[in-house]
């Protein structure tokens, strides 16, 4: 529905631009406006289509409880990364039983 609104609004606006800024006759201005409005609506549709998984993920995340979101805030570390920042254990997992010599 939004794409249709973008198409119609763009057609009116771009027809006006073709008519007055480009000094085109009305039939040619209407065709030029429709062409450019179709391009704009197509780009709009593509942008919405590519963003739809992110939108549903954001809506799902916003429905969670605030305490469930706390560990996911930017700048917070979890697990081995938190221990490494606190000066604790090495964040790299140990390779026990490996036959490959390592530099550690």
């Amino acid at each position: 529905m939004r794409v249709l609104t973008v198409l119609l609004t763009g057609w009116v606006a771009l027809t006006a631009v073709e008519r007055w800024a480009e000094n085109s006759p009305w039939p040619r201005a209407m065709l030029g406006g429709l062409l450019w409005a179709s391009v704009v609506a197509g780009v709009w549709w593509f942008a919405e289509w590519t963003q739809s998984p992110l939108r549903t993920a954001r809506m799902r995340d916003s429905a969670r409880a605030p305490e469930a979101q706390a560990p996911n805030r930017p700048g917070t570390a979890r697990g081995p990364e938190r221990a490494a920042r606190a000066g604790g254990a090495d964040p790299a997992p140990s390779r026990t039983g490996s036959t490959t010599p390592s530099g550690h």
Side-chain angles (χ1 to χ4, degrees):
M1 187 68 169
R2 288 184 220 160
V3 175
L4 184 60
T5 304
V6 169
L7 178 67
L8 292 176
T9 305
W11 190 11
V12 169
L14 293 168
T15 296
V17 168
E18 289 283 331
R19 174 71 178 128
W20 285 288
E22 300 292 331
N23 294 322
S24 297
W26 275 109
R28 186 173 175 148
M30 290 189 68
L31 285 175
L34 181 60
L35 172 71
W36 284 111
S38 299
V39 169
V40 169
V43 170
W44 184 280
W45 170 83
F46 183 75
E48 280 192 341
W49 179 67
T50 56
Q51 296 295 319
S52 65
L54 294 176
R55 187 179 323 129
T56 56
R58 285 188 199 123
M59 288 181 350
R60 183 178 54 234
D61 287 344
S62 66
R64 291 183 183 168
E67 59 272 358
Q69 288 183 358
N72 296 329
R73 286 188 306 225
T76 60
R78 293 186 285 187
E81 188 178 313
R82 178 182 288 156
R85 287 187 184 173
D90 183 19
S94 63
R95 302 182 77 198
T96 58
S98 176
T99 58
T100 306
S102 65
H104 292 98

